Amino acid sequence: MTETEHFVVSSTKMRMPVSHVGLTKDTTDAIVITPFARLGLRSLDLVEVVMAAEQKYNIEIPDEVFLRDGITPAALAGEIDRRRQRQSA
């Protein structure tokens, strides 16, 4: 798991219900590939995850990127890494 995936998953775990769709907060490998909605996160929770990443990495992520249906923590982490690479180029 990349450092960015770890950050996104940690931020997600803080906001997800104790147990949702058979996943617990301890099942990190499953969380990273499970869509945010199936993890029990509301749209406000997802916005908070994105805002935390924007602040940590000093980037901006447009709403249409993270409000796509079925977006996963891994996909969001990939988008964060792409934006960080563009910023440093």
Side-chain angles (χ1 to χ4, degrees):
M1 180 178 307
T2 69
E3 185 272 330
T4 308
E5 286 175 334
H6 179 72
F7 175 80
V8 172
V9 168
S10 294
S11 295
T12 299
K13 285 179 176 182
M14 291 184 339
R15 291 164 178 86
M16 66 185 276
V18 172
S19 181
H20 192 75
V21 191
L23 297 175
T24 65
K25 291 184 178 189
D26 294 327
T27 56
T28 299
D29 291 341
I31 289 171
V32 76
I33 60 170
T34 303
F36 284 104
R38 290 205 50 221
L39 294 171
L41 268 69
R42 299 166 296 145
S43 57
L44 180 58
D45 297 322
L46 182 53
V47 168
E48 289 176 350
V49 170
V50 170
M51 287 176 58
E54 288 176 331
Q55 289 176 352
K56 178 177 176 70
Y57 298 113
N58 196 29
I59 58 170
E60 288 188 30
I61 302 171
D63 294 352
E64 61 269 10
V65 169
F66 65 88
L67 292 179
R68 294 187 308 241
D69 285 338
I71 189 164
T72 65
L76 179 58
E79 185 63 34
I80 291 166
D81 285 339
R82 281 188 290 282
R83 291 182 181 278
R84 289 174 65 197
Q85 287 173 350
R86 281 189 227 146
Q87 187 178 34
S88 65

